Amino acid sequence: MNTDTETPRKNRRRRGPLISAAAVACAAATAAAGLIALNTSDGAGSPEAAPVAADNAAKSAGALIWRDEFNRPAGTAPDGGKWNVEVNGDGGGNDELQYYTNRRDNLAHDGNGNMVITARKGNPGDYQCHYGYCQYTSGRMNTAGKFEHAYGRFEARIQIPIGQGIWPAFWMLGNDLGQVGWPNSGEIDIMENIGSKPADVHGSLHGPGYSGGNPITGSYYHPQGWAFADTFHTFAVEWSPESITWFVDGNAYQTFTPADTRGNPWVYDHPFFMILNVAVGGSWPGDPDASTQFPQQMKIDYVRVYDLG
């Protein structure tokens, strides 16, 4: 893998090198600082109502062009025709503590229609991390080289984990990452959460001149103040040449356009690939503490991509 396109950034996440046939390096994420409060008051009225709202929004979006419903037997790996499984313990450039493995106890179907990414305390494989002997394991997978697309509605129905130091994410990177590097390739964070703030999720853009600790970013607060970990929620973006809009449970909560890049380039004009992962620790969420319970699971019911026409 060529990771020379990456340089670590302080106080922000750099997601580590991905293992894929595309042979590109991965990076970046949402910030601990400068988050815009974009809380809505018209969200889903209850956890039970959320999937209905999201499903209605998806049906009106356009033609379904890619999907994974995760309907495989319990204990099986992600579909190798759709996903690459990443393996590394480099800490993503901001002191994350997990080792991403290809073990089924970190990344596997549950037999009930979900892909489950499980963060665990311990080190059954004697893995070495950037800080020494690894303390935690987790999973990360991406579609680089297998599905890369520009524009449309990208959505996933997810039940996120919870707890101090837990960092789940559903996000995308530009497929020219290996050629132009991060952040010139662009990054679209569809959903990120830090487990110590269970009622908040974040959506961000990273590009040249607005990355690391200075992204274009906003957040959505659960209308009832409930933890997003309590049940499944649908997280999506609708992306066009002119704008990107973020949704939670069918509710649009922010839109960014080229006018929002502070005079810097809008680099969302080429195909991106998708990533799902659960990090442990790092400069944004902080490390787990005595209150953090393990294992922690992110359950993904589906990932779907629609053509908006």
Side-chain angles (χ1 to χ4, degrees):
M1 303 309 298
N2 177 13
T3 60
D4 292 340
T5 59
E6 310 256 22
T7 55
R9 302 180 299 285
K10 299 298 183 182
N11 301 320
R12 290 301 299 252
R13 169 155 103 179
R14 179 178 72 94
R15 295 173 172 112
L18 63 87
I19 308 302
S20 77
V24 293
C26 282
T30 297
L35 292 175
I36 304 167
L38 291 173
N39 302 335
T40 69
S41 59
D42 58 349
S46 69
E48 292 75 19
V52 176
D55 187 55
N56 288 340
K59 288 177 180 177
S60 66
L64 183 65
I65 60 173
W66 189 93
R67 71 196 303 174
D68 196 338
E69 304 293 329
F70 302 117
N71 292 323
R72 292 195 167 199
T76 57
D79 183 347
K82 297 179 178 179
W83 300 97
N84 308 296
V85 175
E86 303 185 36
V87 177
N88 70 76
D90 69 3
N94 56 214
D95 299 325
E96 295 164 27
L97 301 177
Q98 78 287 329
Y99 191 94
Y100 288 124
T101 84
N102 58 5
R103 296 170 64 100
R104 299 286 72 79
D105 56 359
N106 292 120
L107 192 60
H109 293 86
D110 66 0
N112 294 314
N114 303 303
M115 172 56 60
V116 182
I117 300 177
T118 305
R120 298 180 181 276
K121 187 174 184 178
N123 187 349
D126 290 330
Y127 304 115
Q128 290 297 312
C129 287
H130 63 98
Y131 56 88
Y133 192 75
C134 301
Q135 300 174 38
Y136 305 91
T137 61
S138 190
R140 175 167 144 165
M141 61 186 195
N142 69 73
T143 65
K146 298 183 177 182
F147 179 77
E148 300 170 347
H149 191 70
Y151 311 132
R153 180 182 174 93
F154 296 74
E155 73 171 43
R157 185 169 180 259
I158 301 172
Q159 184 173 15
I160 65 172
I162 194 170
Q164 168 60 37
I166 304 299
W167 191 354
F170 171 41
W171 53 296
M172 300 194 291
L173 286 172
N175 71 340
D176 59 351
L177 180 65
Q179 290 72 52
V180 304
W182 186 94
N184 292 332
S185 60
E187 175 178 336
I188 303 170
D189 297 326
I190 303 172
M191 180 282 299
E192 290 190 291
N193 165 264
I194 56 172
S196 61
K197 297 182 179 180
D200 284 295
V201 292
H202 307 279
S204 305
L205 296 179
H206 296 259
Y210 49 98
S211 64
N214 189 38
I216 302 170
T217 187
S219 61
Y220 178 89
Y221 186 77
H222 192 290
Q224 283 74 38
W226 300 336
F228 280 98
D230 287 348
T231 189
F232 283 87
H233 296 270
T234 302
F235 306 99
V237 293
E238 290 189 358
W239 169 26
S240 76
E242 296 81 26
S243 65
I244 303 174
T245 299
W246 280 254
F247 297 81
V248 176
D249 295 331
N251 302 297
Y253 73 94
Q254 69 183 11
T255 297
F256 296 132
T257 74
D260 296 307
T261 64
R262 310 158 191 155
N264 295 295
W266 176 265
V267 291
Y268 311 98
D269 56 359
H270 61 282
F272 278 54
F273 59 89
M274 296 180 288
I275 306 159
L276 287 158
N277 69 287
V278 178
V280 180
S283 57
W284 186 23
D287 294 347
D289 60 21
S291 71
T292 312
Q293 297 182 5
F294 286 94
Q296 285 293 325
Q297 295 185 329
M298 180 163 79
K299 297 181 179 180
I300 306 106
D301 178 24
Y302 64 75
V303 179
R304 298 172 184 165
V305 181
Y306 297 83
D307 184 359
L308 296 178

